[in-house]
Amino acid sequence: MDSTKITRPMRKVLNLKLKYCGAVIVAAGSASRMGGIDKIMAPLGGEPVIVRTVRQFQDCDAIREIVIVTRPDLILPVMDLCHGFDKVKAVVVGGETRDASVIMGMNTLSAKCRLVAVQDGARPFAGWQLIDRVVRAANSYGAAAPAIPVKDTIKVVQGGIVKQTPDRATLQAVQTPQVFDMQLLRGALKKAKKDELVLTDDCSAVEHMGMSVKIVEGDEKNIKITTPFDMKIAELILEEGK
């Protein structure tokens, strides 16, 4: 038997250089469903929600700079809370709509940014590993978002009547951060505004242009705090983490 060792050529793995990525953290909402509580300033484990959200991006090496978009009355409080995060380059006033706030944040990022990560200010549990995962996917595909499979059966309802029941196996609940090529998102938001499209997330604007969005594994703990009940869930998540 020939004992000569047979070597096979190694497969080449395409490793794209990670583009410079800035983050826009949108915290300009009215918190109308929080029963008078300002969700981004609400204490969670002794720290405001916005601080916990920003820290996740501060701790992620894939994020190079951060801009926070908020309400006029929160500019100074948020600046004071985030002065210790050296990646935070600015805190600016948002627009009348979410997409307008995103555009204002993008316009404030430095010209070095080739990717932009858009994050809800009230999602304090998007860990740096999740952020890194989405940034790297967007680096390859141009647009990416985290998502988790839905657990409930979803019904399409009109006028109180069920019109359709989509196959649950095809449905996923999309989270943030959503990360995009900077110019792609800028063009998508411009077209969405021109077409008077009502957006619930930034992926919708990109999809409206006929572009694909890469979905990566999300995290059940990456909840968005919208109601007082969500705050209770957030406290349980925090306690479990301890």
Side-chain angles (χ1 to χ4, degrees):
M1 179 177 179
D2 187 356
S3 61
T4 302
K5 183 178 181 180
I6 299 175
T7 59
R8 295 180 174 85
M10 293 181 64
R11 295 178 61 186
K12 291 184 178 179
V13 178
L14 183 61
N15 290 317
L16 298 177
K17 182 179 179 181
L18 194 60
K19 298 171 186 174
Y20 192 102
C21 183
V24 173
I25 298 179
V26 184
S30 62
S32 58
R33 287 177 283 180
M34 282 294 292
I37 302 171
D38 196 319
K39 59 185 178 183
I40 69 163
M41 301 298 285
L44 179 59
E47 289 185 314
V49 168
I50 188 64
V51 171
R52 292 187 175 275
T53 300
V54 174
R55 182 178 293 113
Q56 305 289 1
F57 286 79
Q58 173 73 28
D59 291 346
C60 181
D61 291 341
I63 300 296
R64 308 294 292 278
E65 58 184 76
I66 301 168
V67 168
I68 304 169
V69 186
T70 192
R71 304 195 311 266
D73 60 305
L74 291 180
I75 288 287
L76 291 179
V78 171
M79 287 178 64
D80 185 55
L81 287 169
C82 296
H83 75 274
F85 298 127
D86 61 2
K87 290 183 183 179
V88 176
K89 303 304 181 185
V91 180
V92 299
V93 176
E96 293 183 0
T97 61
R98 186 182 184 281
D99 49 314
S101 294
V102 171
I103 291 172
M104 288 182 178
M106 291 172 63
N107 290 341
T108 308
L109 290 170
S110 75
K112 294 184 288 185
C113 291
R114 294 294 178 267
L115 297 175
V116 57
V118 183
Q119 170 72 350
D120 299 318
R123 282 191 192 266
F125 299 117
W128 70 262
Q129 299 95 332
L130 172 62
I131 299 168
D132 182 85
R133 192 156 64 237
V134 186
V135 172
R136 292 183 185 279
N139 194 64
S140 297
Y141 293 91
I148 57 174
V150 299
K151 297 178 180 179
D152 297 324
T153 297
I154 305 298
K155 303 286 186 181
V156 177
V157 179
Q158 294 179 352
I161 303 297
V162 173
K163 298 296 183 179
Q164 185 182 355
T165 303
D167 180 3
R168 188 172 64 185
T170 68
L171 300 177
Q172 296 204 26
V174 178
Q175 305 173 332
T176 65
Q178 298 177 1
V179 186
F180 308 90
D181 174 89
M182 178 75 82
Q183 295 308 315
L184 172 61
L185 182 58
R186 196 182 297 278
L189 291 175
K190 182 178 180 180
K191 179 172 174 54
K193 182 178 180 180
K194 178 183 177 181
D195 295 346
E196 299 182 347
L197 183 69
V198 178
L199 299 176
T200 55
D201 73 343
D202 300 289
C203 286
S204 299
V206 172
E207 293 160 23
H208 181 62
M209 290 183 67
M211 304 296 291
S212 297
V213 177
K214 176 64 174 177
I215 293 298
V216 302
E217 182 183 0
D219 188 337
E220 286 188 335
K221 295 178 182 177
N222 183 26
I223 66 169
K224 181 180 180 182
I225 297 174
T226 305
T227 67
F229 183 70
D230 295 331
M231 278 298 300
K232 294 184 181 298
I233 295 174
E235 290 166 359
L236 289 172
I237 293 172
L238 194 64
E239 186 63 29
E240 182 185 66
K242 292 180 181 179

